[in-house]
């Protein structure tokens, strides 16, 4: 478990979902990132952010599902996340981005390589949108859990059974 302070509200993001928060006393967290990728955005001016937990790289395999659940896919999930953050007042140049996950899990055969494909899809999307990923921890064979503190922008991560570590330090003011 990646714990926040005792007074923080923890908003848990499930697989194929996205959540947003603005409270300085809240955090966003997701667990068990295997081949999935967590995309974390933090607005250092407004002290708000979002956490997207994508499962698959490309929505064209099931456009009907993508329309109903855009967060499942990298392409539709990133578009929806950026749109929501913009609607909440964030400007692209105020957002710090971080990604984690994309592991090659045992059930993920060499043929499918979902973790690698998710990572590649996200990198292409960021490049196309002109966004910069400030920090990433992807690949390997261990699952990850991440937590974004909305007050400070600090992102902590636990990989496998290792102790938590800081993936992205707190921020600009």
């Amino acid at each position: 478990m990646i714990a926040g302070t005792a007074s923080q509200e923890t908003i848990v993001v499930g697989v194929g979902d996205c959540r947003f928060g603005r409270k300085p006393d809240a955090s966003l967290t997701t667990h068990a990132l295997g081949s999935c990728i967590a995309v974390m955005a933090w607005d250092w001016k407004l002290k708000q952010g979002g956490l997207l937990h994508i499962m698959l790289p490309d929505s064209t395999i099931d456009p009907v599902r993508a329309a109903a659940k855009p967060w499942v896919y990298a392409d539709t999930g990133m578009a929806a996340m950026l749109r929501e953050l913009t609607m909440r007042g964030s400007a692209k140049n105020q957002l710090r981005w971080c990604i984690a996950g994309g592991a090659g899990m045992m059930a993920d055969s060499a043929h499918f390589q979902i973790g690698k494909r998710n990572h590649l899809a996200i990198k292409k999307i960021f490049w196309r949108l002109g966004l910069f990923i400030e920090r990433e921890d992807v690949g390997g064979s261990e699952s990850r859990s991440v937590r974004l503190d909305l007050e400070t922008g600090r992102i902590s991560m636990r990989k496998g059974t290792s102790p938590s570590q800081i993936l992205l330090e707190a921020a600009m003011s």
Side-chain angles (χ1 to χ4, degrees):
M1 169 119 188
I2 299 176
T5 61
S7 62
Q8 276 191 328
E9 173 192 1
T10 300
I11 302 166
V12 178
V13 181
V15 177
D17 200 4
C18 188
R19 294 283 183 251
F20 301 90
R22 188 174 191 141
K23 297 178 185 177
D25 57 348
S27 65
L28 299 168
T29 190
T30 194
H31 306 286
L33 290 161
S35 59
C36 294
I37 298 253
V39 178
M40 295 151 282
W42 186 67
D43 182 323
W44 54 273
K45 277 191 173 179
L46 300 179
K47 307 269 187 189
Q48 70 179 3
L51 193 155
L52 168 64
H53 185 143
I54 64 156
M55 289 174 56
L56 296 168
D58 185 11
S59 65
T60 59
I61 63 169
D62 191 346
V64 173
R65 182 178 183 199
K69 297 180 180 185
W71 311 119
V72 170
Y73 304 97
D75 56 348
T76 53
M78 270 300 295
M81 181 184 201
L82 193 54
R83 192 170 41 251
E84 181 67 26
L85 287 165
T86 302
M87 286 177 21
R88 291 171 177 256
S90 290
K92 279 173 62 171
N93 65 349
Q94 289 174 202
L95 294 167
R96 297 178 76 196
W97 295 92
C98 183
I99 64 173
M105 305 309 286
M106 283 188 281
D108 186 16
S109 77
H111 175 70
F112 292 112
Q113 296 186 350
I114 300 298
K116 285 183 182 180
R117 290 175 49 214
N118 280 340
H119 183 223
L120 183 59
I122 282 295
K123 295 286 278 195
K124 284 181 179 178
I125 291 164
F126 271 85
W127 180 80
R128 224 178 20 251
L129 294 171
L131 299 173
F132 173 71
I133 299 170
E134 195 164 331
R135 184 79 195 271
E136 65 180 63
D137 191 295
V138 295
S141 60
E142 294 182 292
S143 69
R144 295 165 174 86
S145 295
V146 293
R147 181 182 155 279
L148 167 59
D149 182 313
L150 293 171
E151 184 172 10
T152 66
R154 174 182 279 181
I155 296 173
S156 52
M157 177 187 72
R158 184 176 46 79
K159 191 186 298 186
T161 57
S162 300
S164 291
Q165 61 186 10
I166 302 303
L167 184 57
L168 186 62
E169 193 49 71
M172 311 162 134
S173 49

